[in-house]
Amino acid sequence: MTPPGRGALALLASTQLLLIMDTAIVNVALPSVGEDLGSGSTGLSWVANAYLIAFGGLLLLGGRVADLLGHRRVFLGGLGLLAVASAAGGLAPGADLLVAARAVQGVGAALAAAAAFALLLLLFPDGPARHKALGVFAAMGGLGGVLGTVLGGVLTDLLGWRATFWLNVLLAAVLAALAVRILAPRSGAVLRGGFDLAGALTATAGLGLVAYALVGGSEAGWLSARTLGAGGAGLALLLAFAAVETRAAAPLVPPSVLARPALRLANVLAALAQTTLFPMFFLVSLYLQSVLGYAPLGGGLGLLPLSLVVVAVAPQTGRIIFRIGLHRAMTLGFVLLCAGTAWLALALTPDGTYPSTVLAPSLLLGAALPLVMVTTNVAATADAAPEETGLASGLVNTSQQFGSVLGLAVLVAVATTRTGDTTRTGDTGRTGDAGRTGAADAARAAAETAGFRAALLTGAAFAALAALLSVRPRVRERVPEPH
């Protein structure tokens, strides 16, 4: 890889790090936000949800806009919008304006993420160079989740929650300045033609409504009018989008692209990977804090060994793909993901310790994460022509984002339901006040552990399904020897 290639990869991977870190860093700061702004749990949940909805709903559109306007231009625009929205969040006097700022942050993140991934595809052709680049991306994603948790705790404790937003402003400005120097002015400006306005509106609104239904389902109730109405309207708009694309002169997503079995399978697998992985980070951090009694900073540091394994394994994924083949590497990754998640679930105990419960299975998960992320990204983008790089990045990013949202919604619902069932069937017995308090704490820890275990076993089932689907792949195998 040439020095300019290394510089561009460092820039794009750092952007991935920032976007993943932004989700985790704000989540850690939410309790302090609530205390400062006087917001209840519902308002706080939408500080996180507004970002997820905008991010997930606009990734597909962002990728296609990058194909039309130029990837460098859209990348810089996304970083600029992210910085401005972060500054607005840092200055927000109330929860409503903070939620609005987070939604605009999601818009900027969607544009920057889709354009960054498309630039990577353009700069590194399919083969060993791309595999290495995707490995670095996976490593930065894993590191971003932990770094965000750690920095969120440190900044909130030392400087207050607003510092987490100003950190985004600083980092986005630095990345934009570097992009102006490193990326060629016309990087990725490859597609000319009309714009599918009807497709853009129906796809964005449909994806946004589905994301809204998923992230708000546990709060409003899965069978509530709000959840069913938003989800139904979103699905109806996506069906309308499919109809529009068959008639559009310059479709947002050409039907011929979606007709590729390899691309469809790869995107399903990418979604299933995140359905297991994303909520696993959240659930492990909760277990360490609520059951084992770790502080938020300790909960984040508990995931550090996993991230170190990701950083070590990710650069080797290209060689693994060459040695055993793309599809075998993909299946291996999902088998390890299933085994690690199931092991983690069964290891959890109410009175355990970090080394006896989380450490060993998290190391296995650290090896699985880059394998599944790199192989699904390779498979999802292998057939993308230069003028389709933004579209390919938008599709796989959308699949991953919705896998994250769906996984978090489903697994948290499973954990909550199982915890409630265990609490209702528990019995603390008749003891004195001190004994009753101790028994109640033990019962609570047992109930929460049962909930986390059930959720993680559900995640393992999603990974097992992905492993089965990957056994008979239909994606093109083209793996030159690494250099």
Side-chain angles (χ1 to χ4, degrees):
M1 193 180 297
T2 63
R6 286 197 294 269
L9 177 57
L11 168 68
L12 299 175
S14 297
T15 303
Q16 174 78 350
L17 175 70
L18 169 62
L19 299 179
I20 299 298
M21 188 177 71
D22 184 49
T23 302
I25 200 171
V26 172
N27 286 345
V28 173
L30 284 181
S32 297
V33 174
E35 292 177 8
D36 187 26
L37 301 183
S39 179
S41 58
T42 299
L44 286 179
S45 69
W46 284 103
V47 174
N49 293 345
Y51 180 85
L52 292 174
I53 291 170
F55 195 4
L58 288 166
L59 275 165
L60 180 58
L61 177 60
R64 206 53 175 164
V65 168
D67 283 337
L68 285 164
L69 301 181
H71 302 88
R72 178 182 183 268
R73 185 179 302 162
V74 173
F75 177 69
L76 289 170
L79 286 176
L81 190 59
L82 179 66
V84 170
S86 297
L91 295 170
D96 290 343
L97 289 178
L98 182 59
V99 170
R102 285 290 283 166
V104 179
Q105 272 188 308
V107 176
L111 294 173
F117 196 76
L119 282 165
L120 180 141
L121 299 181
L122 287 168
L123 291 170
F124 303 98
D126 188 27
R130 180 178 291 181
H131 300 167
K132 292 178 182 178
L134 290 173
V136 173
F137 247 53
M140 291 301 100
L143 189 59
V146 175
L147 192 59
T149 303
V150 174
L151 282 177
V154 172
L155 289 175
T156 302
D157 287 343
L158 295 180
L159 301 174
W161 65 268
R162 295 181 189 274
T164 63
F165 285 86
W166 290 109
L167 177 64
N168 278 342
V169 176
L170 174 62
L171 295 179
V174 170
L175 290 173
L178 291 173
V180 171
R181 294 177 57 88
I182 294 173
L183 301 177
R186 296 185 60 81
S187 295
V190 294
L191 185 61
R192 294 291 179 266
F195 184 72
D196 178 16
L197 180 61
L201 292 175
T202 53
T204 302
L207 290 170
L209 284 170
V210 170
Y212 175 82
L214 289 172
V215 299
S218 58
E219 171 196 323
W222 292 106
L223 298 180
S224 67
R226 189 181 89 178
T227 301
L228 293 178
L235 292 175
L237 284 169
L238 291 177
L239 289 174
F241 167 70
V244 165
E245 296 307 274
T246 62
R247 298 176 175 84
L252 185 69
V253 181
S256 60
V257 173
L258 290 181
R260 301 170 190 170
L263 182 140
R264 293 200 305 268
L265 176 60
N267 277 273
V268 168
L269 293 174
L272 286 172
Q274 285 301 325
T275 301
T276 300
L277 281 167
F278 186 80
M280 180 272 297
F281 283 96
F282 177 74
L283 293 167
V284 169
S285 181
L286 276 183
Y287 169 77
L288 291 174
Q289 293 179 59
S290 63
V291 177
L292 299 190
Y294 283 71
L297 180 58
L301 290 175
L303 295 168
L304 184 58
L306 183 152
S307 295
L308 293 177
V309 175
V310 171
V311 172
V313 173
Q316 306 304 318
T317 51
R319 294 186 181 278
I320 295 172
I321 290 171
F322 170 71
R323 297 297 180 189
I324 66 176
L326 175 61
H327 309 123
R328 290 189 182 91
M330 185 186 296
T331 302
L332 173 63
F334 279 112
V335 168
L336 292 177
L337 179 60
C338 177
T341 307
W343 182 7
L344 177 63
L346 298 175
L348 299 185
T349 60
D351 55 352
T353 63
Y354 171 74
S356 67
T357 57
V358 173
L359 180 58
S362 72
L363 299 180
L364 185 60
L365 289 168
L369 188 152
L371 281 174
V372 296
M373 294 302 296
V374 173
T375 55
T376 52
N377 280 328
V378 168
T381 58
D383 289 320
E387 67 274 11
E388 296 174 344
T389 52
L391 172 60
S393 72
L395 284 171
V396 71
N397 270 299
T398 299
S399 298
Q400 291 169 352
Q401 184 69 14
F402 272 84
S404 300
V405 172
L406 176 63
L408 190 61
V410 171
L411 268 62
V412 168
V414 169
T416 302
T417 301
R418 180 68 176 124
T419 298
D421 291 344
T422 304
T423 301
R424 284 190 293 272
T425 58
D427 181 14
T428 59
R430 297 184 178 181
T431 61
D433 290 342
R436 188 178 297 113
T437 300
D441 289 342
R444 177 194 58 79
E448 290 183 348
T449 301
F452 295 142
R453 184 182 298 118
L456 289 168
L457 287 174
T458 304
F462 282 122
L465 173 61
L468 290 174
L469 291 175
S470 68
V471 169
R472 298 175 68 90
R474 299 175 184 175
V475 282
R476 176 170 53 97
E477 188 93 39
R478 191 179 73 194
V479 187
E481 183 172 3
H483 301 293

